[in-house]
Every structure is written in C-alpha cells, then in structure tokens.
Coordinates of all heavy atoms in Angstrom, one line a residue:
M1 N 30.1 -14.1 24.9 CA 29.4 -14.3 23.7 C 28.5 -13.0 23.4 O 27.9 -12.5 24.3 CB 28.4 -15.5 23.9 CG 27.7 -15.8 22.7 SD 27.1 -17.5 23.0 CE 25.7 -17.6 22.0
R2 N 28.5 -12.5 22.2 CA 27.8 -11.3 21.8 C 26.5 -11.6 21.2 O 26.3 -12.5 20.4 CB 28.7 -10.6 20.7 CG 28.2 -9.3 20.3 CD 29.0 -8.8 19.1 NE 28.2 -8.5 18.0 CZ 28.0 -9.3 16.9 NH1 28.6 -10.4 16.9 NH2 27.2 -8.9 16.0
H3 N 25.5 -10.9 21.7 CA 24.1 -11.0 21.1 C 23.8 -9.7 20.5 O 24.0 -8.6 21.1 CB 23.1 -11.3 22.2 CG 23.3 -12.6 22.9 ND1 23.0 -13.8 22.2 CD2 23.7 -13.0 24.1 CE1 23.3 -14.8 23.0 NE2 23.7 -14.3 24.2
D4 N 23.3 -9.8 19.2 CA 22.9 -8.5 18.5 C 21.6 -8.1 19.1 O 20.7 -8.9 19.5 CB 22.8 -8.8 17.0 CG 24.1 -8.9 16.3 OD1 25.1 -8.4 16.9 OD2 24.2 -9.5 15.3
D5 N 21.4 -6.8 19.1 CA 20.1 -6.2 19.6 C 19.2 -6.0 18.4 O 19.5 -5.1 17.6 CB 20.4 -5.0 20.4 CG 19.2 -4.5 21.1 OD1 18.1 -5.0 20.9 OD2 19.3 -3.5 21.9
G6 N 18.2 -6.8 18.3 CA 17.3 -6.7 17.1 C 16.5 -5.4 17.1 O 15.9 -5.0 16.1
R7 N 16.4 -4.7 18.2 CA 15.7 -3.4 18.3 C 16.4 -2.4 17.4 O 15.7 -1.4 17.1 CB 15.6 -2.9 19.7 CG 14.7 -3.9 20.6 CD 14.7 -3.4 22.0 NE 16.1 -3.5 22.5 CZ 16.4 -3.2 23.8 NH1 15.5 -2.7 24.6 NH2 17.6 -3.4 24.2
K8 N 17.6 -2.6 17.1 CA 18.3 -1.6 16.2 C 18.0 -1.8 14.7 O 18.4 -0.9 13.9 CB 19.8 -1.7 16.5 CG 20.2 -1.3 17.9 CD 21.7 -1.5 18.1 CE 22.0 -1.1 19.5 NZ 23.5 -1.4 19.8
L9 N 17.4 -2.9 14.4 CA 17.1 -3.2 13.0 C 15.7 -2.8 12.6 O 14.8 -2.8 13.5 CB 17.3 -4.7 12.7 CG 18.7 -5.2 13.0 CD1 18.7 -6.7 12.9 CD2 19.7 -4.6 12.1
D10 N 15.5 -2.4 11.4 CA 14.1 -2.1 11.0 C 13.3 -3.3 10.8 O 13.8 -4.5 10.8 CB 14.1 -1.3 9.7 CG 14.6 -2.1 8.5 OD1 15.8 -2.5 8.5 OD2 13.8 -2.4 7.6
H11 N 11.9 -3.2 10.8 CA 11.0 -4.3 10.9 C 11.1 -5.2 9.6 O 11.0 -6.4 9.8 CB 9.6 -3.8 11.0 CG 9.4 -3.1 12.3 ND1 9.4 -3.8 13.5 CD2 9.2 -1.8 12.6 CE1 9.2 -2.9 14.5 NE2 9.1 -1.7 14.0
K12 N 11.4 -4.7 8.5 CA 11.5 -5.5 7.3 C 12.7 -6.4 7.3 O 12.7 -7.5 6.9 CB 11.5 -4.7 6.0 CG 10.2 -4.1 5.7 CD 9.2 -5.2 5.4 CE 7.8 -4.6 5.0 NZ 6.8 -5.6 4.8
T13 N 13.8 -5.9 7.9 CA 15.0 -6.6 8.0 C 14.8 -7.8 9.0 O 15.3 -8.9 8.8 CB 16.2 -5.7 8.5 OG1 16.3 -4.7 7.6 CG2 17.5 -6.5 8.6
L14 N 14.2 -7.5 10.2 CA 13.9 -8.5 11.1 C 13.0 -9.6 10.6 O 13.2 -10.8 10.8 CB 13.3 -7.9 12.4 CG 14.2 -7.1 13.3 CD1 13.4 -6.4 14.4 CD2 15.3 -8.0 13.9
E15 N 12.1 -9.2 9.8 CA 11.2 -10.2 9.1 C 12.0 -11.1 8.2 O 11.8 -12.3 8.3 CB 10.1 -9.4 8.4 CG 9.1 -10.4 7.6 CD 8.1 -9.6 6.8 OE1 7.7 -8.5 7.3 OE2 7.7 -10.1 5.8
A16 N 12.8 -10.5 7.4 CA 13.7 -11.3 6.5 C 14.6 -12.3 7.3 O 14.8 -13.4 6.9 CB 14.5 -10.4 5.6
I17 N 15.1 -11.8 8.4 CA 16.0 -12.7 9.2 C 15.2 -13.8 9.8 O 15.6 -15.0 9.8 CB 16.6 -11.8 10.4 CG1 17.7 -10.9 9.8 CG2 17.3 -12.8 11.4 CD1 18.3 -9.9 10.8
R18 N 14.0 -13.5 10.3 CA 13.1 -14.6 10.9 C 12.8 -15.7 9.8 O 12.9 -16.9 10.1 CB 11.9 -14.0 11.5 CG 12.0 -13.3 12.8 CD 10.7 -12.9 13.4 NE 9.9 -12.0 12.6 CZ 9.9 -10.7 12.7 NH1 10.7 -10.1 13.7 NH2 9.2 -9.9 12.0
V19 N 12.4 -15.2 8.7 CA 12.0 -16.1 7.6 C 13.2 -17.0 7.2 O 13.1 -18.2 7.0 CB 11.3 -15.4 6.4 CG1 11.2 -16.3 5.2 CG2 10.0 -14.8 6.8
R20 N 14.3 -16.3 7.0 CA 15.5 -17.0 6.5 C 16.0 -18.0 7.6 O 16.4 -19.2 7.2 CB 16.6 -16.0 6.2 CG 17.8 -16.7 5.5 CD 18.7 -15.7 5.0 NE 18.1 -15.1 3.9 CZ 18.4 -13.9 3.4 NH1 19.4 -13.2 3.9 NH2 17.8 -13.3 2.4
A21 N 15.9 -17.7 8.8 CA 16.4 -18.6 9.9 C 15.5 -19.8 10.0 O 16.0 -20.9 10.1 CB 16.4 -17.8 11.2
V22 N 14.2 -19.6 9.9 CA 13.2 -20.7 10.0 C 13.4 -21.6 8.8 O 13.4 -22.8 8.9 CB 11.8 -20.2 10.2 CG1 10.8 -21.4 10.0 CG2 11.6 -19.6 11.5
Q23 N 13.6 -21.0 7.6 CA 13.8 -21.8 6.4 C 15.0 -22.7 6.5 O 15.0 -23.8 6.1 CB 13.9 -20.9 5.2 CG 13.9 -21.6 3.9 CD 12.7 -22.4 3.6 OE1 11.6 -21.9 3.8 NE2 12.8 -23.7 3.2
R24 N 16.1 -22.1 7.1 CA 17.3 -22.9 7.2 C 17.1 -24.1 8.2 O 17.6 -25.2 7.9 CB 18.5 -22.0 7.8 CG 19.0 -21.1 6.7 CD 20.0 -20.1 7.2 NE 21.2 -20.7 7.8 CZ 22.2 -20.0 8.4 NH1 22.2 -18.7 8.4 NH2 23.2 -20.7 8.9
V25 N 16.3 -23.9 9.2 CA 16.0 -25.0 10.1 C 15.2 -26.0 9.4 O 15.4 -27.2 9.6 CB 15.4 -24.5 11.4 CG1 14.9 -25.6 12.3 CG2 16.3 -23.6 12.2
M26 N 14.2 -25.6 8.6 CA 13.3 -26.5 7.9 C 14.2 -27.3 6.9 O 13.8 -28.4 6.5 CB 12.2 -25.8 7.2 CG 11.2 -25.1 8.1 SD 10.4 -26.4 9.1 CE 10.6 -25.7 10.7
D27 N 15.2 -26.7 6.4 CA 16.1 -27.4 5.4 C 17.1 -28.4 6.1 O 17.8 -29.0 5.4 CB 16.9 -26.4 4.6 CG 16.0 -25.6 3.6 OD1 14.9 -26.1 3.3 OD2 16.5 -24.5 3.2
G28 N 17.0 -28.5 7.4 CA 17.8 -29.5 8.1 C 18.9 -29.0 9.0 O 19.6 -29.8 9.6
E29 N 19.2 -27.7 8.9 CA 20.2 -27.2 9.7 C 19.8 -27.1 11.2 O 18.6 -26.9 11.5 CB 20.6 -25.8 9.2 CG 22.0 -25.3 9.6 CD 22.4 -24.1 8.8 OE1 21.8 -23.8 7.8 OE2 23.4 -23.5 9.2
S30 N 20.8 -27.2 12.1 CA 20.5 -27.2 13.5 C 20.1 -25.8 14.0 O 20.7 -24.8 13.5 CB 21.7 -27.6 14.3 OG 21.6 -27.3 15.7
P31 N 19.0 -25.6 14.8 CA 18.6 -24.3 15.3 C 19.8 -23.6 16.0 O 19.9 -22.4 15.9 CB 17.5 -24.6 16.2 CG 17.0 -25.9 15.8 CD 18.1 -26.7 15.3
E32 N 20.6 -24.4 16.7 CA 21.7 -23.8 17.5 C 22.7 -23.2 16.6 O 23.2 -22.1 16.8 CB 22.4 -24.9 18.3 CG 21.5 -25.6 19.3 CD 21.1 -24.6 20.5 OE1 21.8 -23.7 20.8 OE2 19.9 -24.8 21.0
V33 N 23.0 -23.8 15.4 CA 24.0 -23.3 14.5 C 23.4 -22.0 13.8 O 24.1 -21.1 13.6 CB 24.3 -24.4 13.4 CG1 25.1 -23.8 12.3 CG2 25.0 -25.6 14.1
V34 N 22.1 -22.1 13.4 CA 21.5 -21.0 12.7 C 21.5 -19.7 13.6 O 21.9 -18.6 13.2 CB 20.1 -21.3 12.3 CG1 19.3 -20.1 11.8 CG2 20.1 -22.4 11.3
I35 N 21.1 -19.8 14.9 CA 21.0 -18.7 15.7 C 22.4 -18.1 16.1 O 22.6 -16.9 16.3 CB 20.1 -18.9 16.9 CG1 19.5 -17.6 17.5 CG2 20.8 -19.6 18.0 CD1 18.6 -16.9 16.5
K36 N 23.3 -19.1 16.2 CA 24.7 -18.6 16.6 C 25.3 -17.8 15.4 O 26.0 -16.8 15.6 CB 25.5 -19.9 16.9 CG 26.9 -19.5 17.5 CD 27.6 -20.7 18.0 CE 28.5 -20.3 19.1 NZ 29.0 -21.4 19.8
A37 N 25.0 -18.2 14.2 CA 25.4 -17.5 13.0 C 24.8 -16.1 13.0 O 25.4 -15.1 12.5 CB 25.1 -18.2 11.7
L38 N 23.6 -15.9 13.4 CA 22.9 -14.6 13.4 C 23.4 -13.8 14.6 O 23.2 -12.6 14.6 CB 21.4 -14.8 13.5 CG 20.8 -15.5 12.3 CD1 19.3 -15.7 12.5 CD2 20.9 -14.6 11.1
G39 N 23.9 -14.4 15.7 CA 24.4 -13.7 16.8 C 23.3 -13.2 17.8 O 23.5 -12.3 18.5
M40 N 22.1 -13.8 17.7 CA 21.0 -13.5 18.6 C 20.9 -14.5 19.7 O 21.6 -15.5 19.7 CB 19.8 -13.3 17.8 CG 19.8 -12.2 16.8 SD 18.2 -11.9 16.1 CE 18.6 -10.5 15.0
S41 N 20.0 -14.2 20.6 CA 19.9 -15.1 21.8 C 19.3 -16.5 21.4 O 18.5 -16.6 20.4 CB 19.0 -14.5 22.8 OG 17.6 -14.4 22.4
R42 N 19.7 -17.5 22.1 CA 19.3 -18.9 21.8 C 17.8 -19.1 21.8 O 17.3 -19.8 21.0 CB 20.0 -19.8 22.8 CG 19.8 -21.2 22.6 CD 20.6 -22.0 23.6 NE 20.3 -23.4 23.5 CZ 19.4 -24.0 24.4 NH1 18.9 -23.3 25.4 NH2 19.2 -25.3 24.3
A43 N 17.1 -18.5 22.8 CA 15.7 -18.7 22.9 C 14.9 -18.1 21.7 O 13.8 -18.6 21.4 CB 15.2 -18.1 24.2
R44 N 15.5 -17.2 21.0 CA 14.8 -16.5 20.0 C 14.4 -17.4 18.8 O 13.3 -17.4 18.3 CB 15.6 -15.3 19.4 CG 14.9 -14.4 18.5 CD 13.9 -13.5 19.2 NE 14.5 -12.8 20.3 CZ 13.8 -12.6 21.4 NH1 12.6 -13.1 21.6 NH2 14.4 -12.0 22.4
I45 N 15.3 -18.3 18.4 CA 15.0 -19.2 17.3 C 13.9 -20.1 17.6 O 13.0 -20.4 16.8 CB 16.3 -20.0 16.9 CG1 16.0 -20.8 15.6 CG2 16.7 -21.0 18.0 CD1 16.0 -20.0 14.4
Y46 N 13.7 -20.6 18.9 CA 12.6 -21.4 19.3 C 11.3 -20.7 19.3 O 10.3 -21.3 19.0 CB 13.0 -22.1 20.6 CG 14.1 -23.1 20.5 CD1 15.4 -22.7 21.0 CD2 14.0 -24.2 19.7 CE1 16.5 -23.6 20.8 CE2 15.1 -25.1 19.6 CZ 16.3 -24.7 20.1 OH 17.4 -25.6 19.9
E47 N 11.3 -19.4 19.6 CA 10.1 -18.6 19.6 C 9.7 -18.5 18.1 O 8.5 -18.6 17.8 CB 10.4 -17.2 20.1 CG 10.6 -17.2 21.6 CD 11.0 -15.8 22.1 OE1 10.9 -14.8 21.4 OE2 11.3 -15.7 23.3
W48 N 10.6 -18.2 17.2 CA 10.3 -18.1 15.8 C 9.8 -19.5 15.2 O 8.8 -19.5 14.5 CB 11.5 -17.7 15.0 CG 12.1 -16.4 15.3 CD1 11.4 -15.4 16.0 CD2 13.3 -15.9 15.0 NE1 12.2 -14.3 16.1 CE2 13.4 -14.6 15.5 CE3 14.5 -16.4 14.4 CZ2 14.6 -13.8 15.4 CZ3 15.6 -15.6 14.2 CH2 15.6 -14.3 14.7
L49 N 10.4 -20.6 15.6 CA 9.9 -21.9 15.2 C 8.5 -22.2 15.7 O 7.6 -22.7 15.0 CB 10.9 -23.0 15.6 CG 12.2 -23.0 14.9 CD1 13.2 -23.9 15.6 CD2 12.1 -23.3 13.4
A50 N 8.2 -21.8 16.9 CA 6.9 -22.0 17.5 C 5.8 -21.2 16.7 O 4.7 -21.6 16.4 CB 6.9 -21.7 19.0
A51 N 6.2 -19.9 16.5 CA 5.3 -19.0 15.7 C 5.1 -19.6 14.3 O 3.9 -19.6 13.8 CB 5.9 -17.6 15.6
Y52 N 6.1 -20.1 13.7 CA 6.0 -20.7 12.4 C 5.0 -22.0 12.4 O 4.2 -22.1 11.5 CB 7.3 -21.2 11.8 CG 7.2 -22.0 10.6 CD1 7.0 -21.4 9.3 CD2 7.4 -23.3 10.6 CE1 6.9 -22.1 8.2 CE2 7.3 -24.1 9.4 CZ 7.1 -23.5 8.2 OH 7.0 -24.2 7.1
R53 N 5.2 -22.8 13.4 CA 4.3 -24.0 13.5 C 2.8 -23.6 13.8 O 1.9 -24.2 13.3 CB 4.8 -24.8 14.7 CG 6.0 -25.6 14.3 CD 6.4 -26.6 15.4 NE 7.8 -26.9 15.3 CZ 8.7 -26.5 16.2 NH1 8.4 -25.7 17.2 NH2 10.0 -26.8 16.0
E54 N 2.6 -22.5 14.5 CA 1.2 -22.0 14.7 C 0.6 -21.4 13.5 O -0.6 -21.6 13.2 CB 1.3 -20.9 15.8 CG 1.5 -21.5 17.2 CD 0.3 -22.1 17.8 OE1 -0.8 -21.6 17.6 OE2 0.5 -23.2 18.4
G55 N 1.3 -20.5 12.8 CA 0.7 -19.8 11.7 C 1.5 -19.7 10.4 O 1.2 -18.9 9.5
G56 N 2.5 -20.6 10.2 CA 3.3 -20.5 9.0 C 4.1 -19.3 8.9 O 4.4 -18.6 9.9
F57 N 4.5 -19.0 7.6 CA 5.4 -17.8 7.4 C 4.7 -16.5 7.7 O 5.4 -15.5 8.0 CB 6.0 -17.8 6.0 CG 7.1 -18.8 5.9 CD1 7.0 -20.0 5.0 CD2 8.3 -18.7 6.5 CE1 8.0 -20.9 4.9 CE2 9.3 -19.6 6.4 CZ 9.2 -20.7 5.6
D58 N 3.4 -16.5 7.6 CA 2.6 -15.3 7.9 C 2.8 -14.8 9.4 O 2.8 -13.7 9.7 CB 1.1 -15.4 7.6 CG 0.8 -15.4 6.2 OD1 1.7 -14.9 5.4 OD2 -0.2 -16.0 5.8
A59 N 3.0 -15.8 10.3 CA 3.2 -15.5 11.7 C 4.6 -14.8 12.0 O 4.8 -14.2 13.0 CB 3.1 -16.8 12.5
L60 N 5.5 -14.9 11.0 CA 6.8 -14.3 11.1 C 6.9 -12.9 10.6 O 7.9 -12.3 10.7 CB 7.9 -15.2 10.5 CG 8.0 -16.7 11.0 CD1 9.0 -17.4 10.1 CD2 8.4 -16.7 12.4
K61 N 5.8 -12.5 9.9 CA 5.8 -11.2 9.3 C 5.8 -10.0 10.4 O 5.3 -10.2 11.5 CB 4.6 -11.0 8.4 CG 4.8 -11.9 7.2 CD 3.7 -11.5 6.2 CE 3.9 -12.4 5.0 NZ 3.6 -11.8 3.7
A62 N 6.4 -8.9 10.0 CA 6.4 -7.7 10.9 C 5.0 -7.2 11.1 O 4.2 -7.2 10.1 CB 7.3 -6.6 10.2
K63 N 4.7 -6.9 12.3 CA 3.4 -6.4 12.6 C 3.4 -4.9 12.8 O 4.4 -4.3 13.1 CB 2.9 -7.0 13.9 CG 2.7 -8.5 13.8 CD 2.5 -9.2 15.1 CE 2.3 -10.7 15.0 NZ 3.3 -11.4 14.3
Q64 N 2.3 -4.3 12.5 CA 2.1 -2.8 12.6 C 2.2 -2.4 14.1 O 1.6 -3.0 15.0 CB 0.7 -2.4 12.1 CG 0.5 -0.9 12.1 CD 1.4 -0.2 11.1 OE1 1.8 -0.7 10.1 NE2 1.6 1.1 11.4
I65 N 3.0 -1.4 14.4 CA 3.2 -0.9 15.7 C 2.2 0.3 15.9 O 2.4 1.3 15.2 CB 4.6 -0.5 16.0 CG1 5.5 -1.7 15.9 CG2 4.7 0.1 17.4 CD1 7.0 -1.4 16.0
S66 N 1.3 0.1 16.7 CA 0.2 1.1 16.8 C 0.7 2.3 17.7 O 0.4 3.5 17.3 CB -1.0 0.5 17.4 OG -0.8 0.0 18.7
G67 N 1.3 2.1 18.8 CA 1.7 3.2 19.6 C 0.5 3.8 20.4 O -0.6 3.2 20.4
R68 N 0.7 4.8 21.1 CA -0.3 5.5 21.9 C -1.3 6.2 21.0 O -0.9 6.9 20.1 CB 0.3 6.4 22.9 CG -0.7 7.2 23.7 CD -0.1 8.3 24.6 NE 0.6 7.7 25.7 CZ 1.2 8.4 26.6 NH1 1.2 9.7 26.5 NH2 1.8 7.9 27.6
P69 N -2.6 6.0 21.3 CA -3.6 6.8 20.5 C -3.5 8.3 20.8 O -3.2 8.7 21.9 CB -4.9 6.2 21.0 CG -4.7 5.5 22.2 CD -3.2 5.2 22.3
K70 N -3.8 9.1 19.7 CA -3.7 10.5 19.9 C -4.9 11.0 20.7 O -6.0 10.5 20.7 CB -3.8 11.2 18.5 CG -2.6 10.9 17.6 CD -2.8 11.6 16.3 CE -1.5 11.3 15.4 NZ -1.6 11.9 14.2
K71 N -4.6 12.0 21.5 CA -5.6 12.6 22.4 C -6.3 13.8 21.7 O -7.4 14.1 22.1 CB -5.0 13.1 23.7 CG -4.4 12.0 24.6 CD -4.0 12.4 25.9 CE -3.5 11.2 26.7 NZ -3.3 11.6 28.1
L72 N -5.7 14.3 20.7 CA -6.3 15.4 20.0 C -6.6 15.0 18.5 O -5.8 14.3 17.9 CB -5.4 16.7 20.0 CG -5.1 17.3 21.3 CD1 -4.1 18.4 21.1 CD2 -6.3 17.8 22.0
S73 N -7.6 15.5 18.0 CA -7.9 15.2 16.5 C -7.1 16.1 15.7 O -6.4 17.1 16.2 CB -9.4 15.4 16.3 OG -9.7 16.8 16.3
G74 N -7.1 15.9 14.4 CA -6.3 16.7 13.4 C -6.8 18.2 13.5 O -6.0 19.1 13.5
A75 N -8.1 18.4 13.6 CA -8.7 19.7 13.6 C -8.2 20.4 14.9 O -7.9 21.6 14.9 CB -10.2 19.7 13.5
Q76 N -8.2 19.7 16.0 CA -7.8 20.3 17.3 C -6.3 20.7 17.2 O -6.0 21.7 17.8 CB -8.1 19.3 18.4 CG -9.6 19.1 18.7 CD -9.8 18.0 19.7 OE1 -9.1 17.0 19.7 NE2 -10.8 18.2 20.6
I77 N -5.5 19.9 16.6 CA -4.1 20.2 16.5 C -3.9 21.4 15.7 O -3.1 22.3 16.0 CB -3.3 18.9 16.0 CG1 -3.3 17.8 17.0 CG2 -1.9 19.3 15.6 CD1 -2.8 16.5 16.5
R78 N -4.6 21.5 14.5 CA -4.5 22.7 13.7 C -4.9 24.0 14.4 O -4.3 25.0 14.4 CB -5.3 22.5 12.4 CG -4.6 21.7 11.3 CD -5.4 21.8 10.0 NE -6.8 21.3 10.1 CZ -7.1 20.0 10.0 NH1 -6.2 19.1 9.9 NH2 -8.4 19.7 10.1
E79 N -6.0 23.9 15.2 CA -6.5 25.0 15.9 C -5.5 25.4 17.0 O -5.2 26.6 17.2 CB -7.8 24.7 16.6 CG -8.5 25.9 17.3 CD -9.9 25.5 17.8 OE1 -10.3 24.4 17.6 OE2 -10.5 26.5 18.4
L80 N -4.9 24.5 17.7 CA -3.9 24.8 18.7 C -2.7 25.4 18.1 O -2.1 26.4 18.6 CB -3.5 23.5 19.4 CG -2.5 23.6 20.6 CD1 -3.1 24.4 21.7 CD2 -2.2 22.2 21.1
Y81 N -2.3 24.9 16.9 CA -1.1 25.5 16.2 C -1.4 26.9 15.9 O -0.5 27.8 16.0 CB -0.8 24.6 15.0 CG 0.3 25.2 14.1 CD1 1.6 25.0 14.5 CD2 0.0 26.0 13.0 CE1 2.7 25.6 13.7 CE2 1.0 26.5 12.2 CZ 2.3 26.3 12.6 OH 3.4 26.9 11.8
T82 N -2.6 27.2 15.4 CA -3.0 28.5 15.0 C -2.9 29.5 16.2 O -2.4 30.6 16.2 CB -4.4 28.6 14.4 OG1 -4.4 27.7 13.3 CG2 -4.8 30.0 13.9
W83 N -3.5 29.0 17.3 CA -3.5 29.8 18.6 C -2.0 30.2 19.0 O -1.7 31.3 19.4 CB -4.2 29.1 19.7 CG -5.6 29.0 19.6 CD1 -6.5 29.6 18.7 CD2 -6.5 28.1 20.4 NE1 -7.8 29.2 18.9 CE2 -7.8 28.3 20.0 CE3 -6.2 27.2 21.4 CZ2 -8.9 27.6 20.5 CZ3 -7.3 26.5 22.0 CH2 -8.6 26.7 21.5
I84 N -1.2 29.2 18.9 CA 0.2 29.4 19.4 C 1.0 30.3 18.5 O 1.7 31.1 18.9 CB 0.9 28.0 19.5 CG1 0.3 27.2 20.7 CG2 2.4 28.2 19.8 CD1 0.8 25.8 20.8
T85 N 0.8 30.2 17.2 CA 1.6 30.9 16.2 C 1.1 32.3 15.9 O 1.8 33.2 15.4 CB 1.8 30.1 14.9 OG1 0.5 29.8 14.4 CG2 2.6 28.8 15.2
T86 N -0.2 32.6 16.1 CA -0.8 33.8 15.7 C -1.0 34.8 16.9 O -1.0 36.0 16.6 CB -2.1 33.7 15.0 OG1 -3.0 33.0 15.8 CG2 -1.9 32.9 13.7
F87 N -1.1 34.3 18.1 CA -1.4 35.2 19.2 C -0.1 35.4 20.0 O 0.6 34.4 20.2 CB -2.5 34.7 20.1 CG -3.8 34.6 19.4 CD1 -4.4 33.3 19.0 CD2 -4.5 35.7 19.0 CE1 -5.6 33.2 18.3 CE2 -5.7 35.6 18.3 CZ -6.2 34.4 18.0
T88 N 0.1 36.5 20.6 CA 1.2 36.7 21.5 C 0.7 36.8 22.9 O -0.4 37.3 23.2 CB 1.9 38.1 21.2 OG1 1.0 39.1 21.3 CG2 2.5 38.0 19.8
P89 N 1.4 36.3 23.9 CA 1.0 36.3 25.3 C 1.0 37.7 25.9 O 1.6 38.6 25.5 CB 2.0 35.4 26.0 CG 3.2 35.3 25.1 CD 2.7 35.7 23.7

C-alpha cells in the first residue's frame, strides 16, 4: 500500500486536502474511504478530525513555519557582506 508524503506538497495544498477530507467525512463518507482515496496514512484522517472538533476549520489551516531565529541583525549582515566583498585577505 502506497502512502503519499505530504511533506512534498506546499502548505496551501495540504490545507485544502485537510479541509476537503474533513468535509467529506462530515457529509457522511467513511474516514477509511476518504483517506484511502487520498493515499495518506490511516491515522492522519483521525488527527484532522480531532483538530476539527477542537477548533473547527480554522484548526486545519496551514500554520506559519518560523524556523530558527537569526543570530545577526540586518545591519550586521550588511556590514559582514561589505567586509567580505570589499577587503582582500
């Protein structure tokens, strides 16, 4: 059985898939059938349904990925760039 890797999809596409899958289950379709049609793991649909029950469709929206905070400010990066490009060792 093949499972699609959702990490390969952009966040807006994943959001649309989550909303559409939960809507199909709310319309009476079996969660097993819905997730099998999407080709993702079985546990995923139940995570989406739990999130929907907790916070509605807003809980299924894509969240901002923050990443690691920068160690240098913009001014420090500009100064470093200047040092590297204008001076020779």
Side-chain angles (χ1 to χ4, degrees):
M1 184 164 157
R2 184 183 124 263
H3 293 293
D4 288 336
D5 190 349
R7 295 175 295 181
K8 295 178 182 175
L9 302 173
D10 66 293
H11 295 289
K12 288 296 179 184
T13 303
L14 287 171
E15 179 181 326
I17 289 171
R18 287 190 294 267
V19 169
R20 188 167 294 157
V22 169
Q23 187 61 48
R24 285 174 61 179
V25 172
M26 293 297 130
D27 290 342
E29 203 167 343
S30 165
E32 301 291 329
V33 172
V34 172
I35 205 65
K36 192 169 204 168
L38 294 173
M40 294 191 180
S41 67
R42 181 175 172 262
R44 191 70 52 219
I45 188 76
Y46 294 106
E47 291 174 10
W48 296 343
L49 290 170
Y52 171 75
R53 286 187 202 106
E54 287 282 320
F57 284 112
D58 286 339
L60 300 175
K61 291 192 179 211
K63 293 169 181 56
Q64 181 70 26
I65 298 174
S66 61
R68 177 188 284 183
K70 293 181 179 180
K71 293 187 177 189
L72 299 175
S73 69
Q76 290 171 324
I77 292 172
R78 277 192 301 277
E79 187 175 359
L80 182 61
Y81 175 80
T82 303
W83 290 346
I84 292 171
T85 59
T86 58
F87 298 111
T88 58

